[in-house]
Amino acid sequence: MESSILESIGVEIIGVMSPVSICMFLVVLLVYALSPSNPLSSSSSAPIRTAANLVYLESPTDSTSQKLEGALLNALVFVILIALVTFLLVLLYYYNFTNFLKNYMRFSAFFVLATMGGSIFLSIIQHFSIPIDSITCFLLLFNFTVVGVLSMFAAGMPIFLRQAFMVSLGIIVAAWFTKLPEWTTWVLLVALALYDLVAVLAPGGPLKLLVELASTRDEELPALVYEARPTMPRNGEHHGSSLGLLVAGVSDSGSVELQAVSRGNVNPNGSDNRGNSDYSVIEIDSSVNEGSGSNRDEGQRLLLVDKTLGRQSTSSDSSEGSSVIVHSDMTRQFGSGASEIVVDEEMSPLVQMTGSGNVREQLRRDATEMFSRGIKLGLGDFIFYSVLVGRAAMYDLMTVYACYLAIISGLGCTLILLSVCHRALPALPISIALGVIFYFLTRLLMEPFVVGTATNLLMF
Amino acid sequence: MTVAAGIGYALLALGPSLSLFISVISKKPFLVLTVLSSTLLWLVSLIMLSGLWRAFLPLNSSTWWPYGLLIFTSVLFQEGIRILFWKVYKKLEDTLDSFADRVSKPRLYLTDKMQIALAGGLGHGVAHAVFFCLSLLTPAFGPGTFFVDRCSKIPFFLLSAIIALAFVTIHTFSMVIAFNGYAEGNKVDQIFVPSVHLVAGMVTLVNFASGGCIIGIPLLYFMAMLTLLHCGKMVWRRLMENQQRQANM
């Protein structure tokens, strides 16, 4: 019996959706696991201060208008910061400071994994009282970080490892962002979605410039981008091993050598090969001017830290210190990685044949056409989807499910649009809008209804 | 221990659908997408329903007829959604077939169509279990449990998990029956599905009486079994017919 088309349609969509789902699921677990300890600790320690709430520090006693105003200001400042950093990045990229950017990315990924990841591991260890000594813990953390940075930026690593570390980076940052106060989070999410829309679609938008620049130079984007590599259609016969929803890209992890070879066959100037040669060049370069690179790196970081420190006149809490640094890394990430789905331009001509604009038709055509390329999703999308879901998890499980479904369907819509438009699209706006709408609908309308009927043991 | 209990309740409600998902659905990405969209559709229908009923909530919990009305309208609404789902699916099937012709692959088999129907039903069922059972389970992970007055022998979480399991079964397999009924133009099947759904909803009204859950839950499981048997018989018949037709060709 010949394999039916059901097995081949939508592989790519699932390939993007499953890591996003895993990311969100783990963030929700993290939020749940760590929240029981929070009421005790948060009452004693001041709320964290990052660049996302520079202007206004929310306290539960403030009035609604005060909170709204403060949250709006916070979001505005944050978006402006991100926009500035993104423009800086575009400028640097335009003037070919590529090595600097790459080193900076490595450094900041290292920093995020080490400090934020470390503090999250610490709180997990404390919460579950895991007996571990500090030296072992430090060694483990160091190994985790180094392997993470290597796998994210070096070629020749198994793609699975790379994807796993991308997702874990997303989880770590998202878990940090869920510590923001409630109003600020919501306003910030909406503001970022709007910013994303402008930055990717407007004529002078920084992300649009960046993507265009990268595609004219035929280089990879200097950003943290999750690649859902296409699983090779092996002579039209889909491999029998289950491409489980729950295991992202596991089918990719089979063997590295085989993968590299087969990919080389399919698209000779594929990103792998290019990345490989690219990397060797960079290696030489970076060994030559490593010092200057990291200096500049440091400089920019310090500049940001100064900016943050200048605005904040609070005591030098240890957590505060780290959060500031964290933020300076954050802006870079969002600025660069943030939120677009980048389409490789080498597309099969299948799309040109489209006649009617039926959405379903587009969907399946989209699915087959996507075999020939990978979908890329900015790490910022992972983070902010997870932030939304994590924030929803602080209210109830019901809102979590609703938000999850809304975000995933928004992502699906974006992917369908992607197959229609053939250009980089912002992935945040649709998903965030749907997520926010569903959150409030669920919270205000559905919960009393469902709780009211279910506690009377009535179901339908 | 309480975490174990919470996971146990969740698996009780969703275990069968989980195994169905892993064994059948997860291998075919298109079916996963079907499950997701059907879940979303059910969620949207639930939100619309709750929007309609929001003004009248909370209902007086001593009288039962407002709840009867609520269940009646909800079932009607959801059956309407099912017909909508069928219409969309019909279009999808045509496009899928023409697409299969173009890439010179075989058209959808009968089993494929049934699997799509199953995935749609599973989406509905999972959404039901998630919103009516799983989302109330949060306290079950903490210490202590919760009893309702009307059924004071069994913990509320266990009860809701058991009821949710029955409804997951009904939703999942009645979608297969319904799609088949629509495809064949079989009036019996077309009426069978809404009536099973309605009766199952009404049976939960028995829980309203004190101690009613002793009677209500077996009745509910009777309905679930009925759906399951009917679905099994129907699928068997179709497969046999299909085999014969292929043998004749």
Side-chain angles (χ1 to χ4, degrees):
Chain A
M1 188 159 146
E2 223 175 326
S3 69
S4 75
I5 49 171
L6 283 194
E7 290 172 32
S8 54
I9 289 179
V11 175
E12 281 301 321
I13 298 182
I14 295 301
V16 173
M17 279 180 181
S18 46
V20 172
S21 309
I22 290 172
C23 190
M24 289 198 266
F25 175 70
L26 288 177
V27 168
V28 168
L29 267 191
L30 210 60
V31 167
Y32 258 100
L34 298 181
S35 60
S37 65
N38 275 355
L40 301 173
S41 57
S42 64
S43 56
S44 56
S45 71
I48 58 159
R49 182 125 214 182
T50 62
N53 51 355
L54 277 178
V55 185
Y56 165 71
L57 207 55
E58 189 175 321
S59 73
T61 49
D62 288 348
S63 70
T64 310
S65 61
Q66 229 173 339
K67 279 183 189 169
L68 187 66
E69 203 175 316
L72 279 175
L73 274 177
N74 276 340
L76 191 70
V77 169
F78 189 66
V79 166
I80 288 174
L81 263 178
I82 286 183
L84 282 179
V85 174
T86 317
F87 269 116
L88 190 69
L89 208 115
V90 173
L91 221 61
L92 284 174
Y93 190 61
Y94 185 75
Y95 289 108
N96 274 328
F97 287 101
T98 321
N99 288 332
F100 164 69
L101 283 178
K102 288 200 166 159
N103 283 318
Y104 176 57
M105 265 162 56
R106 277 173 211 152
F107 173 77
S108 59
F110 181 85
F111 223 85
V112 168
L113 282 176
T115 56
M116 296 164 87
S119 84
I120 284 171
F121 289 144
L122 263 184
S123 55
I124 288 174
I125 288 169
Q126 273 172 358
H127 185 257
F128 293 103
S129 4
I130 301 168
I132 188 168
D133 63 299
S134 55
I135 300 169
T136 319
C137 184
F138 177 76
L139 265 178
L140 285 179
L141 182 65
F142 187 72
N143 274 320
F144 170 78
T145 314
V146 169
V147 172
V149 173
L150 280 181
S151 65
M152 270 187 273
F153 297 107
M157 285 283 183
I159 185 82
F160 175 65
L161 202 64
R162 184 173 183 162
Q163 287 171 336
F165 270 101
M166 281 289 178
V167 171
S168 58
L169 192 66
I171 292 168
I172 288 170
V173 178
W176 262 94
F177 259 70
T178 52
K179 293 184 183 173
L180 286 177
E182 188 173 7
W183 283 74
T184 310
T185 313
W186 289 116
V187 178
L188 193 68
L189 282 174
V190 174
L192 275 168
L194 291 178
Y195 164 76
D196 196 21
L197 198 63
V198 173
V200 179
L201 292 181
L207 289 176
K208 185 185 164 77
L209 288 179
L210 197 69
V211 170
E212 279 172 356
L213 217 56
S215 69
T216 50
R217 288 188 199 172
D218 198 28
E219 284 176 16
E220 288 202 53
L221 210 68
L224 290 173
V225 175
Y226 181 92
E227 284 176 66
R229 288 286 170 79
T231 51
M232 287 299 125
R234 277 153 205 151
N235 302 328
E237 201 175 287
H238 200 249
H239 49 97
S241 70
S242 67
L243 178 89
L245 170 74
L246 298 171
V247 266
V250 160
S251 50
D252 268 349
S253 71
S255 71
V256 197
E257 294 83 10
L258 183 114
Q259 201 188 15
V261 170
S262 65
R263 183 150 295 128
N265 280 341
V266 174
N267 46 347
N269 54 350
S271 52
D272 253 5
N273 302 343
R274 204 192 310 143
N276 224 331
S277 58
D278 215 13
Y279 183 67
S280 55
V281 173
I282 291 156
E283 260 314 71
I284 301 161
D285 274 358
S286 66
S287 63
V288 172
N289 57 0
E290 199 174 45
S292 66
S294 64
N295 268 346
R296 263 185 284 178
D297 213 320
E298 198 84 25
Q300 199 195 358
R301 193 172 63 78
L302 282 178
L303 193 107
L304 267 164
V305 173
D306 274 349
K307 228 186 264 175
T308 12
L309 278 176
R311 307 238 177 133
Q312 108 189 39
S313 55
T314 35
S315 63
S316 56
D317 219 77
S318 68
S319 72
E320 225 147 5
S322 62
S323 68
V324 170
I325 292 161
V326 157
H327 180 65
S328 66
D329 292 318
M330 292 303 314
T331 42
R332 185 209 50 76
Q333 265 183 21
F334 301 145
S336 63
S339 352
E340 75 269 35
I341 298 179
V342 184
V343 196
D344 282 2
E345 292 303 322
E346 61 248 20
M347 263 180 274
S348 63
L350 233 174
V351 192
Q352 261 61 39
M353 302 194 298
T354 60
S356 63
N358 188 345
V359 173
R360 301 274 155 186
E361 204 160 321
Q362 294 291 1
L363 171 64
R364 57 175 179 63
R365 195 163 286 134
D366 170 40
T368 42
E369 153 212 332
M370 277 171 191
F371 270 123
S372 55
R373 63 200 159 91
I375 300 175
K376 295 176 184 171
L377 190 65
L379 203 61
D381 300 321
F382 275 75
I383 293 166
F384 288 111
Y385 293 164
S386 309
V387 169
L388 206 161
V389 175
R391 177 40 73 179
M394 288 179 194
Y395 184 69
D396 194 7
L397 271 181
M398 206 179 293
T399 50
V400 174
Y401 302 128
C403 285
Y404 168 74
L405 283 175
I407 287 175
I408 284 291
S409 65
L411 188 60
C413 289
T414 316
L415 289 176
I416 292 171
L417 274 182
L418 186 68
S419 71
V420 181
C421 296
H422 314 304
R423 50 178 292 189
L425 281 182
L428 278 183
I430 302 177
S431 289
I432 294 288
L434 281 178
V436 171
I437 290 170
F438 271 66
Y439 176 83
F440 286 105
L441 279 181
T442 307
R443 188 168 167 172
L444 298 176
L445 289 181
M446 210 174 86
E447 214 201 2
F449 180 79
V450 168
V451 170
T453 51
T455 47
N456 283 309
L457 294 176
L458 299 175
M459 295 186 190
F460 47 85
Chain B
M1 187 57 208
T2 49
V3 173
I7 292 173
Y9 294 139
L11 281 182
L12 192 60
L14 279 173
S17 3
L18 188 67
S19 48
L20 207 58
F21 183 86
I22 291 173
S23 60
V24 181
I25 308 285
S26 66
K27 285 170 190 142
K28 303 188 176 176
F30 185 77
L31 295 183
V32 178
L33 293 180
T34 314
V35 170
L36 282 176
S37 43
S38 137
T39 315
L40 185 79
L41 188 70
W42 204 86
L43 169 65
V44 170
S45 82
L46 193 63
I47 286 181
M48 282 157 88
L49 270 174
S50 50
L52 282 179
W53 275 92
R54 184 71 182 90
F56 308 104
L57 291 175
L59 293 174
N60 182 3
S61 60
S62 56
T63 50
W64 64 271
W65 61 266
Y67 286 101
L69 206 62
L70 187 146
I71 287 183
F72 187 70
T73 51
S74 309
V75 170
L76 276 191
F77 190 78
Q78 288 190 335
E79 291 303 324
I81 292 276
R82 198 196 296 278
I83 293 173
L84 184 80
F85 195 56
W86 162 253
K87 294 248 164 78
V88 173
Y89 163 72
K90 197 68 201 151
K91 278 196 186 131
L92 182 68
E93 196 184 302
D94 292 343
T95 46
L96 277 177
D97 272 340
S98 61
F99 174 69
D101 288 344
R102 193 167 331 146
V103 294
S104 60
K105 282 210 172 190
R107 288 182 163 220
L108 290 179
Y109 299 112
L110 180 66
T111 46
D112 288 335
K113 291 180 187 171
M114 281 180 180
Q115 278 179 353
I116 294 178
L118 183 74
L122 192 70
H124 273 46
V126 166
H128 172 95
V130 158
F131 287 103
F132 277 100
C133 167
L134 222 58
S135 55
L136 304 174
L137 268 185
T138 327
F141 288 96
T145 186
F146 175 60
F147 292 87
V148 279
D149 291 337
R150 298 199 180 88
C151 202
S152 52
K153 298 285 187 294
I154 313 174
F156 166 73
F157 302 120
L158 186 59
L159 262 181
S160 70
I162 290 172
I163 297 178
L165 176 60
F167 271 103
V168 170
T169 318
I170 290 174
H171 279 302
T172 308
F173 294 103
S174 63
M175 189 66 92
V176 181
I177 299 174
F179 272 29
N180 201 56
Y182 294 136
E184 286 186 320
N186 186 343
K187 281 275 181 271
V188 179
D189 283 346
Q190 286 179 20
I191 295 170
F192 178 82
V193 169
S195 45
V196 161
H197 191 181
L198 192 64
V199 170
M202 288 304 173
V203 158
T204 58
L205 276 180
V206 178
N207 296 333
F208 221 69
S210 183
C213 53
I214 313 277
I215 304 160
I217 288 177
L219 280 179
L220 192 61
Y221 270 82
F222 175 72
M223 295 312 292
M225 283 299 156
L226 195 69
T227 319
L228 209 56
L229 279 180
H230 188 89
C231 179
K233 254 169 42 188
M234 190 213 69
V235 169
W236 182 254
R237 179 173 58 79
R238 290 290 313 257
L239 285 180
M240 284 300 129
E241 278 175 15
N242 199 38
Q243 226 167 34
Q244 273 177 1
R245 203 178 308 149
Q246 275 187 342
N248 289 341
M249 277 199 318

